[in-house]
Amino acid sequence: MVPKILTVLFAFCLAFHASAQVPKNFEYGPRPPLSVFDPTGFLNPQLAKSISDPLTKIYQKEKIDVLVVVLTDLAGAPPEHVAKRFAQAWCTANIHAVVLHVPGRKDSPWIVPAGKLLEILNPKEVLKSLEEAQRRAAKEVTEPDKVKAAATEAADMLRYWTSNLINHSEQVQTERSQWIQKATEKARFRKMGLLLLAASTIPLVLGASMLILFLKNRGPRSFPSRDLQPRLGAPYSGGNFAVVKIGAPDL
Amino acid sequence: MFSDGPPLLPILDAVGIWKDADIRKIEAARGNVERRFPQIKWRICAVNLPAETSLPLFGFWLLNACPLNPEETPSDRSWTILLLIDIRSGQASITPGYAAESCLSDDEWQKVLNSMATYWQAGKTAKAVVRFFKSSRSELQTAWKRYKPRRSHR
């Protein structure tokens, strides 16, 4: 029985220890002034500042937030989960990333982007960019350099996406304006076409009426017959007085 | 009284005033009017009558005395209009058959005859007759409209 209790106690302690490393209700408190959170002191202060200063400038100018977090252990949690917890607690920009490093881990550092703008991007493109950025950062020799490179790569990646989004947005605006212009022009041409059609109908109708009248009037004519009253015993004609002097021809 | 007349040809040039080309022009003009008014038959005679001969009287005698042509019926003759031109007196007359009398009045026929004068005096005798036919067609068209049956609107 005692060994059982001890096993349970040991497991509980391990879990507690692990849970102490996982940020629940953000036990790390408010975000530090620097963009680098390194409670373990893995990065020397100079290096930490050299990483943090450019990231701070980028955030001030472009509202792109990159946070570097160095932890000793993730306690079995996936890196993305841990990184996102930090992002949720400390990042408010529309696009941000957490560069998470656990010293000694060969697959570290991890770059985890997040933010509302990420939802607009193509997931395949995001994954491809992340893999390339992490591969480039991993080429550095020392771990601190890898962290610095990963931070730089993360910042560049987010800036690239943001500018692409802006360009895309402008392109969409332009295309939309062009579409509206085309639609307006089409509507105008359609209106003109209808007016022309209406205007041309009048001469067409007139022309058709005249043609019908002309065709109607082309046929032979006949006068009504009447009872003939012969005069002076003449069988075919009673004579009349239609005579004029037309003069002599000049032959 | 009405016998022993000569055959009444469509165009009788007793004075040799028209050439073949003139005859063809006159025939064409005549055909044009006959197509529009097929009832009416036309006869044209250019003659040189003795002095003091009454042209209307001569026309009256000619239309009644000439025998019917082989293809002519009495109805055709009564629908005939005879244009008579006397070279000696410089006169032209119209003699209509009984049926054709009602088409135009004497005044209207005189108007048609007067339309010939200008060309006739200029020596364009065939053209004068063509003019006569054109004027006749116009006057007959106007007269026909008076007789045209109208639709009644209830």
Side-chain angles (χ1 to χ4, degrees), chain A residues 184-197:
Chain A
T184 312
E185 269 181 31
K186 269 190 188 171
R188 196 159 50 98
F189 283 134
R190 206 178 307 125
K191 201 173 171 184
M192 276 172 66
L194 284 171
L195 280 171
L196 277 171
L197 183 67

Side-chain angles (χ1 to χ4, degrees), chain A residues 216-226 228-251, chain B residues 2 35-39 56 60 63-64 68 77 89-98 101-102 106 109-110 113-114 120-121 123 140 144 147:
Chain A
K216 270 180 87 174
N217 285 336
R218 283 192 66 188
R221 310 282 190 256
S222 61
F223 287 88
S225 299
R226 59 191 189 98
L228 304 179
Q229 298 291 331
R231 302 191 293 274
L232 306 171
Y236 308 118
S237 171
N240 66 344
F241 298 99
V243 57
V244 300
K245 198 163 181 70
I246 57 172
D250 183 15
L251 296 170
Chain B
F2 299 110
R35 276 192 291 277
R36 178 51 69 100
F37 296 99
Q39 269 174 324
F60 164 70
L63 203 54
N64 287 296
L68 292 175
R77 182 62 64 89
S89 64
Q91 288 183 325
S93 72
I94 286 288
T95 308
Y98 285 124
E101 273 178 1
S102 59
D106 282 358
W109 280 125
Q110 280 172 349
L113 289 168
N114 277 324
W120 187 266
Q121 287 164 21
L140 286 168
W144 176 81
Y147 288 104

Side-chain angles (χ1 to χ4, degrees), chain A residues 69-190:
Chain A
V69 173
V70 181
L71 297 175
T72 52
D73 187 14
L74 300 182
E80 290 79 16
H81 173 76
V82 173
K84 279 186 180 167
R85 285 205 65 221
F86 274 93
Q88 278 166 12
W90 288 350
C91 298
T92 54
N94 280 330
I95 191 155
H96 48 264
V98 171
V99 176
L100 178 62
H101 180 62
V102 175
R105 286 277 297 258
K106 283 188 183 172
D107 53 348
S108 178
W110 302 278
I111 302 172
V112 181
K116 287 180 190 172
L117 287 177
L118 204 65
E119 294 163 19
I120 303 169
L121 297 170
N122 185 336
K124 284 184 185 174
E125 294 290 327
V126 169
L127 190 62
K128 188 179 165 191
S129 299
L130 270 176
E131 283 171 359
E132 282 172 9
Q134 281 175 178
R135 196 164 40 245
R136 283 193 290 269
K139 284 181 182 173
E140 296 298 322
V141 178
T142 65
E143 285 190 41
D145 288 340
K146 285 182 184 176
V147 171
K148 185 173 181 180
T152 309
E153 289 288 340
D156 288 345
M157 194 170 60
L158 295 191
R159 291 163 87 191
Y160 174 74
W161 286 343
T162 306
S163 67
N164 263 5
L165 277 172
I166 289 169
N167 287 344
H168 179 69
S169 164
E170 282 173 357
Q171 191 187 353
V172 165
Q173 277 288 88
T174 308
E175 283 177 3
R176 189 169 174 272
S177 303
Q178 284 173 354
W179 183 86
I180 289 171
Q181 195 183 0
K182 275 185 188 170
T184 312
E185 269 181 31
K186 269 190 188 171
R188 196 159 50 98
F189 283 134
R190 206 178 307 125

